[in-house]
Amino acid sequence: FRHTCQFLVAVNNLRSIQEFFGEKMLQPQVILAVAFLSTVAIVLSILACVIDTNKDLPANWWPMFAVATYALAPFPIVILGKKEEASQLAYWSYFTTGWIVAVSFGLPCILAHSAVIAIGNCLISMTSSLVFYGTIVGLAWWQASEGGYGLY
């Protein structure tokens, strides 16, 4: 019961912060949904490492390399910036972000093809990437539908 009360106080504090900053801040429900789905993606990545899905291949931590792409993917857009006009720099940042995201899906497939991880671990890792990037795309879609400009 104490934890529930602390949670409700934290959500109430978020609402007062939102009133201070105006409409540019996300609603607490959206923040909680994004945090929950991101946590689910990380838990799936850990499960892809520890669950034995094949008796011939032991569980190992190779699928965790896909999590590194979660951190690396936004860097090209953040560093190079999102430009309103079409420029080579904007195209380069989108291209680099795209292949980093593609690596997070391709790396488990390559590891499964070379028999480093099992097919089941590959599918769990790809599900983790799908949940994580789906959360980010869903957040950007929601922000754009609310009249914002997306994530950046």
Side-chain angles (χ1 to χ4, degrees):
F1 180 73
R2 187 183 79 180
H3 297 292
T4 305
C5 291
Q6 289 174 346
F7 174 74
L8 291 176
V9 168
V11 169
N12 198 14
N13 287 341
L14 279 175
R15 287 191 183 131
S16 63
I17 291 171
Q18 184 179 5
E19 290 170 2
F20 177 74
F21 283 109
E23 295 197 16
K24 291 212 172 224
M25 191 168 170
L26 292 174
Q27 296 176 356
Q29 297 87 358
V30 176
I31 294 171
L32 291 174
V34 169
F36 175 75
L37 289 172
S38 298
T39 303
V40 167
I42 298 298
V43 167
L44 282 171
S45 292
I46 293 171
L47 288 177
C49 297
V50 298
I51 292 178
D52 284 332
T53 59
N54 188 347
K55 61 180 173 119
D56 297 330
L57 293 172
N60 54 40
W61 290 94
W62 284 104
M64 196 55 90
F65 279 111
V67 175
T69 62
Y70 301 167
L72 292 176
F75 278 120
I77 293 176
V78 170
I79 291 172
L80 299 176
K82 180 180 177 183
K83 309 291 185 214
E84 292 298 324
E85 69 277 352
S87 68
Q88 293 296 331
L89 199 58
Y91 290 140
W92 180 252
S93 66
Y94 297 148
F95 171 74
T96 307
T97 299
W99 70 257
I100 291 173
V101 170
V103 164
S104 71
F105 290 99
L107 184 64
C109 294
I110 292 170
L111 291 173
H113 180 71
S114 62
V116 174
I117 65 172
I119 298 292
N121 298 81
C122 171
L123 293 176
I124 295 171
S125 182
M126 290 177 63
T127 303
S128 169
S129 295
L130 187 66
V131 169
F132 187 80
Y133 290 121
T135 301
I136 301 303
V137 168
L139 176 63
W141 175 80
W142 183 82
Q143 283 183 331
S145 69
E146 291 291 316
Y149 295 105
L151 289 177
Y152 300 103

